Amino acid sequence: MNAFYEKFNALIAGKTPFVMVTLVDTIGSAPQEPGAKMLVTHTGHFFGTVGGGKLENRAIEEAKALLDGQPKKQNLFAQWSLNTDIGMTCGGSVKVYFEVFNANLWQIVIFGAGHVSQALTQLLLNLDCRITCIDPRPQWLDQLPENPRLEKIQADDMPSQVANIPPDAFVLLMTMGHATDKPILLEILKTRQFPYLGAIGSRAKSARLRKDVKEAGLPDDCQQAFYCPIGLDLGGNHPQEIAVSVAAQLLQVRDAWRGENNTRPVKTTAGPI
């Protein structure tokens, strides 16, 4: 149990959204004793067990649904027949309690770990948020600070990471250039919707990306569903000044989004073209 609470405290310190699943009671035959616990994050099982097999799979799916649901719930109590509800041969039943932690944190996902991303990440870590930075280059990820609220993901296939992003995340594309931003942008516009989506770049790059969206056969409104250029109209081209302007825009959009609806993501309109 000490190991369980070490993992629990690590998730709390890292502000990682997760669910603690507790087997409260059992009647008849059941695969675990009351008090068994499990931790579940957006990506699935993290630590512990409430019995394995079909029961545990059902509990994991319920926990992930709580994390992804809109509006977010803080807890859930479920009572299941292992035979009729879970599909197990056991004739017993279980009562399971789901408790959500860190679910309403501001989630920011940055594709790319280059100079501006480094400056922006350093700045954002002063705020109450959790950041995920994705890049195929370990040497750039290694330059980011070590912080429990910063997750570094090395991925050669960055578009494949889109499916793992929480639905309420603010997403920035700051990779090596147009060739690497484009496939991520198209994957997002085809499959996901976030309260903020932006790609770093000039007005020329903005025009190129919007042409890419049109040529991909996506609906016309997708051309206006992301910010490019990103950031407020202030400062110069130094990475630190760009970071300040982008952080200011993120705060501006976040506050407007929270004001309109405290939890449900809304579709983003494009910034100035």
Side-chain angles (χ1 to χ4, degrees):
M1 191 55 73
N2 286 341
F4 178 89
Y5 283 108
E6 287 175 4
K7 298 291 187 181
F8 176 92
N9 290 332
L11 291 174
I12 290 289
K15 296 186 180 292
T16 302
F18 71 98
V19 177
M20 181 168 70
V21 184
T22 304
L23 189 61
V24 176
D25 193 17
T26 63
I27 299 173
S29 178
Q32 265 284 8
E33 296 296 322
K37 298 179 184 294
M38 174 175 66
L39 302 174
V40 179
T41 66
H42 278 292
T43 58
H45 176 267
F46 182 77
F47 191 80
T49 180
V50 290
K54 292 182 178 180
L55 172 60
E56 192 153 292
N57 288 337
R58 174 67 180 274
I60 290 170
E61 291 306 312
E62 291 286 346
K64 290 172 65 177
L66 276 175
L67 291 173
D68 293 339
Q70 302 295 338
K72 295 187 183 300
K73 296 181 180 179
Q74 293 304 307
N75 51 63
L76 173 70
F77 182 83
Q79 182 170 353
W80 297 324
S81 163
L82 295 177
N83 182 268
T84 59
D85 295 322
I86 307 298
M88 298 173 63
T89 56
C90 302
S93 64
V94 295
K95 296 179 181 178
V96 187
Y97 183 62
F98 299 81
E99 190 171 7
V100 182
F101 295 86
N102 292 341
N104 291 317
L105 286 173
W106 188 20
Q107 303 281 332
I108 301 172
V109 176
I110 304 174
F111 286 89
H115 294 293
V116 177
S117 176
Q118 298 275 338
L120 180 61
T121 299
Q122 292 273 10
L123 181 59
L124 291 173
L125 283 174
N126 293 295
L127 308 179
D128 190 16
C129 63
R130 185 173 187 277
I131 304 168
T132 301
C133 187
I134 304 166
D135 197 289
R137 303 165 296 175
Q139 67 272 26
W140 283 94
L141 290 171
D142 289 344
Q143 294 181 48
L144 291 166
E146 296 298 326
N147 189 295
R149 293 189 289 109
L150 171 61
E151 181 181 11
K152 309 174 191 180
I153 298 177
Q154 182 186 348
D156 292 326
D157 183 5
M158 288 189 286
S160 69
Q161 297 295 314
V162 168
N164 299 326
I165 301 175
D168 56 353
F170 282 43
V171 181
L172 296 116
L173 310 185
M174 308 177 78
T175 70
M176 293 79 79
H178 169 262
T180 45
D181 282 341
K182 173 185 170 181
I184 304 169
L185 177 66
L186 294 180
E187 178 65 18
I188 292 173
L189 293 176
K190 289 175 183 177
T191 63
R192 303 296 304 274
Q193 182 174 302
F194 300 108
Y196 178 96
L197 174 60
I200 194 169
S202 63
R203 295 182 186 277
K205 180 179 176 181
S206 170
R208 176 68 256 185
L209 285 173
R210 297 182 203 284
K211 184 178 180 181
D212 293 333
V213 172
K214 182 178 181 180
E215 291 176 349
L218 293 170
D220 289 344
D221 60 354
C222 286
Q223 297 178 45
Q224 306 303 319
F226 60 96
Y227 288 85
C228 186
I230 56 174
L232 300 185
D233 188 13
L234 53 88
N237 290 327
H238 190 281
Q240 297 290 347
E241 294 195 13
I242 296 173
V244 169
S245 77
V246 173
Q249 184 179 62
L250 291 174
L251 287 166
Q252 185 181 70
V253 175
R254 183 204 66 181
D255 291 349
W257 168 56
R258 287 179 174 177
E260 291 175 8
N261 188 311
N262 193 38
T263 53
R264 183 174 58 84
V266 295
K267 189 167 185 178
T268 301
T269 56
I273 299 175

